[in-house]
Amino acid sequence: MAEQKCNWVIHYMTNGVPCECCGKVEYNFPPQLCDAHTDGMWKYGHMEFQLVLNYQREEIMRLLNTMGMRVARGERFKDGDLIEGLYLDCSVKLQEFPDIDGKPVLRLMIPDKENRWPEEAGVPYCGQLFSTFLLHHYGDLRNALDEYKKNP
């Protein structure tokens, strides 16, 4: 079987990492969270994938590229699907969220070490429930709240 090539890109945005497009360095994300997402699943008539846990870059790329390869081979995924095979000890759940532009993406929801889903887990796993907008503007909102507390 011929080796399959990725014909999509992965965008990775988090604190201290320059934007690939404009070079701006962000510091607005909550600690241990990011916005990593595919761009190219549309070529297959499929929603993009997103991961917000700020794992090591290699792990983020492995997870998103594995999902992309599965789509390229013809699999289709939807909100609520449980994905087997990404990890040996747990399933990964897909949950639909709007991306920063409001388009729907399938976010990989990963349970914590005790196999608790984000709704029941602590930091950083509960942060998987944050909207993409909140991920990108967390620092701004936190600064505004701090300022309000100083000058109500």
Side-chain angles (χ1 to χ4, degrees), residues 48-108:
E48 302 296 339
F49 295 104
Q50 181 187 51
L51 179 67
V52 301
L53 287 172
N54 198 9
Y55 289 152
Q56 291 189 358
R57 289 184 201 186
E58 294 80 15
E59 181 64 4
I60 291 170
M61 301 310 151
R62 182 189 74 80
L63 291 167
L64 293 175
N65 280 327
T66 298
M67 293 304 296
M69 291 291 192
R70 290 175 69 166
V71 168
R73 288 193 298 267
E75 286 187 72
R76 293 295 174 257
F77 300 98
K78 64 186 181 321
D79 181 54
D81 282 351
L82 287 176
I83 308 303
E84 303 294 329
L86 292 175
Y87 290 110
L88 296 175
D89 61 346
C90 68
S91 299
V92 171
K93 183 173 28 175
L94 296 178
Q95 189 168 339
E96 189 175 314
F97 277 82
D99 71 7
I100 196 68
D101 297 320
K103 292 183 283 187
V105 296
L106 290 173
R107 185 176 292 176
L108 281 69

Side-chain angles (χ1 to χ4, degrees), residues 3 24 27-28 30 39 47-48 52 86 88 96 107 118 127 134 136 140-141 148 150-151:
E3 184 178 321
K24 180 181 175 188
Y27 289 99
N28 272 326
D39 182 5
M47 280 190 279
E48 302 296 339
V52 301
L86 292 175
L88 296 175
E96 189 175 314
R107 185 176 292 176
L134 179 57
H136 281 260
D140 294 334
L141 295 169
Y148 176 77
K150 291 178 193 172
N151 302 307

Side-chain angles (χ1 to χ4, degrees), residues 11-20 23-37 51-57 60-61 135-138:
H11 297 283
Y12 171 67
M13 295 166 279
T14 194
N15 294 328
V17 175
C19 174
E20 296 168 355
K24 180 181 175 188
V25 178
E26 292 286 341
Y27 289 99
N28 272 326
F29 286 87
Q32 301 174 320
L33 298 178
C34 68
D35 177 6
H37 58 272
L51 179 67
V52 301
L53 287 172
N54 198 9
Y55 289 152
Q56 291 189 358
R57 289 184 201 186
I60 291 170
M61 301 310 151
L135 288 171
H136 281 260
H137 297 283
Y138 176 84

